[in-house]
Amino acid sequence: GAVVPDGYGVSYNPYSDNIIFCIASFFSCPDTNSRVFASQLQLSLQVRQTHDNLLRAIQIISGDEESVHQVS
């Protein structure tokens, strides 16, 4: 759960192909919103995945196979 009234509590459980997050905040604080936080977290993870995929593609196109294995 949230540790302070104007903050968030976040826990996570990683698996081989996904991560489960639990996000908590107090309803009484107008500055926190767990749904918005979760949405932004999901977006940031999608951006990260897109970045990694583009990097792999660039490395494959450029013939830098050794770097491809380091990113994976």
Side-chain angles (χ1 to χ4, degrees):
V3 179
V4 294
D6 61 347
Y8 294 93
V10 179
S11 61
Y12 60 95
N13 191 0
Y15 290 88
S16 62
D17 61 343
N18 64 30
I19 303 173
I20 296 175
F21 290 93
C22 178
I23 301 164
S25 62
F26 288 95
F27 287 116
S28 59
C29 180
D31 297 327
T32 60
N33 185 320
S34 293
R35 291 181 192 269
V36 172
F37 187 101
S39 176
Q40 293 302 307
L41 176 61
Q42 183 177 18
L43 179 62
S44 70
L45 293 170
Q46 290 170 341
V47 167
R48 170 66 192 262
Q49 185 176 25
T50 300
H51 171 268
D52 290 350
N53 291 343
L54 288 171
L55 183 59
R56 276 192 211 96
I58 290 167
Q59 290 168 338
I60 289 169
I61 291 168
S62 68
D64 191 359
E65 294 294 325
E66 185 174 321
S67 294
V68 172
H69 299 295
Q70 291 173 359
V71 173
S72 300

